[in-house]
Amino acid sequence: MEILDALAAEEDQLAALLAGLTQEQWGADSLCAGWSVADVVLHLAQCEEAVIATIRGTPVDWGGLGDTVGAAMESAVSAERSDSGATICERWERARGQALTVLRAADPARRVAWVTNTLRPATLATTRLAEHWAHALDIAEPLGLPYPDTQRLRHILWLAHATLPYAYSAAGSTAPSVRIEAVAPNGPAWVLGPDDADVMLSGPAGDLARIAARRLDPGDSAVRTSGAAAAEVLVRIRTYAI
């Protein structure tokens, strides 16, 4: 599946970033409130280990770790927090390699449990790509390190668009139809959704993806909108479980 190659490439880009970090940088604050750079990578390692477990039929009981997704993730990191960036990076490298292996071998039609839902392996891989990309920003930006946008943003925007019904249902409402016209980092625009959608979102793919990942306020973006529900869509759209 193309998405698995894209996920591997995204993880490789993050690995290159992590390879150059000093121990001081591993202990620096990330953009995730209360988490160091090491904490962010520990979280990614834990989630990749959870991918392995869920594909093998023994999903993690996230609900047993906290009342909300955020609380569960915080609990997991707090329980295994370490100051050793090298040790945490080795754990993530090992877990991400194994996760890719089991995802490639998984039955593409069989849905597996993941956090608050069940997903097919390709969709699960897309969520992993989106999370690695967002957390790479959480690491790179406060350290003043480059993390360039790539054509892999297409997968992240597909996820944001496809999960709008989920995001709205979590808020107790129904999603309007949405069309996204994203200017790719390189090449032609990407279009998602019907011509006659209730809401139109257009602009740089990086801005749209950052809004969906809650890494950019819509008011600080170059995104243009139309439709009565556009402001609400920009609040609801996301790329992660809630």
Side-chain angles (χ1 to χ4, degrees):
M1 290 182 287
E2 178 193 356
I3 183 58
L4 293 175
D5 293 337
L7 172 58
E10 192 67 39
E11 291 173 341
D12 286 347
Q13 185 174 343
L14 174 57
L17 174 70
L18 298 178
L21 298 186
T22 65
Q23 187 55 41
E24 181 181 5
Q25 288 173 316
W26 276 101
D29 290 339
S30 73
L31 292 185
C32 296
W35 281 8
S36 68
V37 169
D39 290 338
V40 172
V41 180
L42 172 60
H43 165 66
L44 290 173
Q46 290 172 333
C47 288
E48 293 311 286
E49 290 163 355
V51 169
I52 299 164
T54 201
I55 293 293
R56 290 177 175 171
T58 56
V60 173
D61 178 19
W62 296 109
L65 295 174
D67 294 336
T68 65
V69 173
M73 302 304 174
E74 177 63 42
S75 176
V77 168
S78 296
E80 297 187 308
R81 182 169 275 127
S82 170
D83 293 330
S84 174
T87 300
I88 291 171
C89 194
E90 288 172 3
R91 178 174 171 178
W92 170 71
E93 285 279 14
R94 183 168 56 253
R96 66 121 168 176
Q98 293 174 357
L100 281 167
T101 296
V102 298
L103 282 167
R104 290 188 189 281
D107 179 350
R110 185 174 70 87
R111 300 178 73 91
V112 296
W114 184 250
V115 189
T116 62
N117 212 325
T118 62
L119 306 174
R120 289 187 174 87
T123 304
L124 176 54
T126 309
T127 70
R128 304 312 307 141
L129 191 162
E131 184 164 17
H132 277 88
W133 171 76
H135 282 315
L137 299 180
D138 295 335
I139 293 168
E141 290 185 8
L143 295 179
L145 299 174
Y147 198 80
D149 288 345
T150 71
Q151 297 297 97
R152 295 187 293 275
L153 291 177
R154 175 173 62 88
H155 299 287
I156 297 171
L157 291 178
W158 173 86
L159 180 68
H161 186 266
T163 57
L164 272 167
Y166 159 76
Y168 266 79
S169 67
S173 55
T174 302
S177 59
V178 176
R179 180 178 175 87
I180 293 177
E181 295 183 357
V183 179
N186 298 290
W190 301 320
V191 178
L192 299 161
D195 292 339
D196 60 350
D198 301 320
V199 170
M200 164 77 80
L201 307 178
S202 62
D207 282 12
L208 287 160
R210 284 170 173 80
I211 290 170
R214 292 294 174 269
R215 267 61 179 185
L216 178 65
D217 186 283
D220 296 328
S221 75
V223 171
R224 301 179 303 278
T225 66
S226 64
E232 183 182 45
V233 169
L234 290 176
V235 170
R236 300 286 181 226
I237 195 169
R238 63 193 63 246
T239 56
Y240 53 88
I242 50 178

